[in-house]
Amino acid sequence: MVDDDDKSAGRGAALARKALERLLARAENAAAKGPSHTDRTARSVTLPLSEKSFPEYLRLQRHADKAVCNASLQLAERDGAISVEWDHRAGERAHVQRIVLNDGARLARHLGIEPRWDVVALAERQFEPHTAMHPVLAQVIEAWRKGNLLRGTRPGDVASWLDAIHVIQYCASKCGDDIAIRRLSASLFRDSKRIEAIWPALDALVQGDAAMVQSEMEDLFSELGLVKFPPTLLVAGSVAVSYGDEPIMASRPYVGFAPSVIRSVSVDPGSSRRLLTVENLTTFHELAGQRPDDAIVIYTGGMPSPSWKRAYAVFLKALAPTAALHHWGDIDVGGFRIASHIAKCCEQEGRSLRLHGMRANAVLPGTVTRRELVPSARREILRICERWEWSEEAAALGALAVEQEAMEPCWPE
């Protein structure tokens, strides 16, 4: 059985360590505010052992516990890490009034802790080869310097960001191919779920701004071409798709194609005057069932993948220059991000994209809404609308996000 002296020693030493760790945390925060994160001695960092700052010390009931705590603090003082200020009214070295930092590096060594300023300095060196391509890493360093988490990563979690950069580089090298996500993850990291574990960091790198509203995981993966299984491009319309070595008609109600093997598309100019892309599967099925003869409707599968975009460009090339291009998706930041990607595809083919059903003021009263739009999401939607000159949608944007499936299906006029 552990005797009372051993218990006192344990309690007293543990409390002293807790006080020193808290002082080190204050030193780390002070260093983060300074002109240089390496300046650790130019400012006074203290911890009063008071009711407000460290009440645990005042609540020590046994004299032996306090004596061991005081002795442990004096050991740190002898190491040159701190100075101990005593309350002389309580007797000779009987009650500590405050501890004052002398040297942050020595305090960290005394505790056997790698201080945050060293962790961040090492991270900066490891990130340096990638900061030009990924300026968002500067936001990561700034958050870590303050001791904050960013996209689920804590100070020093460099591997998550470097692994995410590795994934982006690999996807870019594949030039729009669909990539089996878990096979790639196992190949790169010997962990089939590693990519899914680091997707918040991956999203920040893709967006280029860690403060942006986080994407849906599946949307992010689709954007990069990372798939759990190959996507299917669903098409309804009077078109003939060169699929492999033979043309296939997209007969009613619709036909599914592997986008990676679509080579060309033939359309009847008289019966293909408009092309509508649709974000959600329920709405696609409804529109395909009531499709006008002069229209084509294509399901995006949420965020379009690189192979989908490549196939979509084939359709754009086949359409007459006068054909109208529309997109209909959710009225939320994800829906407008998807629309923005499709608009870029159109721009690359010298065309422009109009939105359909995405003016919030046209949504019928009583329509089920998903959630309120947070201010950052609203700001991003407005930036997207400004980029593509979707002024009506910007002017109509309200405070609520609306699911496409909650709206009645209708065709652009």
Side-chain angles (χ1 to χ4, degrees):
M1 179 177 288
V2 179
D3 59 28
D4 288 345
D5 287 343
D6 289 337
K7 288 181 179 179
S8 293
R11 282 194 294 266
L15 191 61
R17 182 176 180 86
K18 185 175 181 179
L20 293 171
E21 287 176 347
R22 193 167 296 180
L23 183 67
L24 179 60
R26 291 189 174 194
E28 290 171 331
N29 292 335
K33 296 175 184 177
S36 168
H37 68 277
T38 59
D39 179 11
R40 302 185 291 277
T41 58
R43 60 189 83 257
S44 177
V45 179
T46 68
L47 177 67
L49 302 196
S50 63
E51 182 65 35
K52 180 179 179 180
S53 298
F54 200 72
E56 299 95 322
Y57 182 74
L58 302 182
R59 291 172 188 157
L60 285 171
Q61 298 295 319
R62 293 166 53 87
H63 172 75
D65 293 341
K66 180 177 281 191
V68 171
C69 180
N70 292 348
S72 296
L73 295 175
Q74 290 177 79
L75 286 176
E77 185 176 42
R78 290 191 196 114
D79 279 350
I82 66 168
S83 294
V84 179
E85 294 184 1
W86 301 93
D87 184 351
H88 298 294
R89 296 170 298 178
E92 182 67 21
R93 300 195 175 193
H95 185 85
V96 177
Q97 189 171 36
R98 76 179 66 241
I99 55 176
V100 181
L101 180 72
N102 284 347
D103 189 298
R106 290 188 179 188
L107 177 57
R109 284 196 301 273
H110 179 82
L111 291 170
I113 294 175
E114 186 177 16
R116 194 194 313 151
W117 53 75
D118 285 348
V119 170
V120 173
L122 176 60
E124 282 187 294
R125 293 193 294 273
Q126 292 174 297
F127 283 164
E128 197 277 332
H130 307 284
T131 51
M133 182 65 69
H134 300 288
V136 70
L137 294 174
Q139 292 177 269
V140 179
I141 291 296
E142 185 60 24
W144 287 356
R145 186 170 288 140
K146 296 175 181 177
N148 297 331
L149 299 179
L150 189 72
R151 294 297 180 106
T153 62
R154 61 184 65 255
D157 190 6
V158 173
S160 290
W161 295 91
L162 296 183
D163 287 354
I165 290 170
H166 195 180
V167 172
I168 290 172
Q169 292 171 338
Y170 183 90
C171 292
S173 73
K174 291 304 175 181
C175 302
D177 291 341
D178 293 321
I179 306 163
I181 182 171
R182 291 194 171 173
R183 189 179 299 280
L184 175 64
S185 189
S187 173
L188 294 181
F189 309 118
R190 297 185 179 181
D191 179 350
S192 65
K193 297 182 180 179
R194 174 61 174 166
I195 295 177
E196 289 160 277
I198 61 173
W199 77 269
L202 190 59
D203 178 59
L205 291 165
V206 169
Q207 293 197 57
D209 186 348
M212 299 282 272
V213 177
Q214 194 161 284
S215 303
E216 296 291 334
M217 182 171 66
E218 295 302 327
D219 286 349
L220 169 68
F221 291 159
S222 290
E223 184 177 347
L224 290 169
L226 297 169
V227 298
K228 290 185 178 178
F229 47 83
T232 301
L233 187 139
L234 302 181
V235 181
S238 299
V239 298
V241 177
S242 178
Y243 193 60
D245 296 327
E246 57 182 312
I248 295 178
M249 290 299 300
S251 55
R252 289 186 183 272
Y254 60 86
V255 174
F257 300 95
S260 59
V261 296
I262 293 176
R263 297 291 175 260
S264 64
V265 173
S266 299
V267 303
D268 180 350
S271 61
S272 300
R273 294 191 177 94
R274 45 184 166 157
L275 170 60
L276 173 65
T277 50
V278 178
E279 176 182 344
N280 295 294
L281 187 57
T282 298
T283 306
F284 169 81
H285 281 292
E286 292 170 334
L287 291 174
Q290 55 182 255
R291 179 181 60 82
D293 290 338
D294 68 342
I296 302 170
V297 58
I298 301 178
Y299 171 53
T300 72
M303 178 66 73
S305 68
S307 66
W308 186 98
K309 294 177 188 177
R310 190 166 53 200
Y312 180 66
V314 175
F315 278 84
L316 295 181
K317 289 180 172 67
L319 290 171
T322 54
L325 307 176
H326 290 88
H327 174 72
W328 188 9
D330 294 339
I331 303 175
D332 63 9
V333 68
F336 276 89
R337 283 175 177 171
I338 290 169
S340 182
H341 278 273
I342 298 173
K344 188 171 183 180
C345 294
C346 295
E347 182 182 60
Q348 290 169 346
E349 298 299 325
R351 295 173 177 264
S352 60
L353 180 73
R354 288 182 282 175
L355 300 184
H356 168 64
M358 296 180 70
R359 286 187 293 111
N361 62 1
V363 177
L364 295 175
T367 299
V368 177
T369 57
R370 178 165 59 187
R371 62 181 180 275
E372 290 190 6
L373 282 172
V374 298
S376 56
R378 199 172 187 280
R379 288 193 296 271
E380 184 176 349
I381 291 172
L382 292 174
R383 284 196 297 270
I384 291 172
C385 288
E386 181 180 8
R387 164 68 177 86
W388 298 110
E389 299 182 354
W390 293 329
S391 56
E392 291 184 359
E393 285 73 18
L397 186 64
L400 297 174
V402 183
E403 294 276 10
Q404 184 183 46
E405 293 95 333
M407 295 180 272
E408 288 298 317
C410 61
W411 279 86
E413 297 180 358

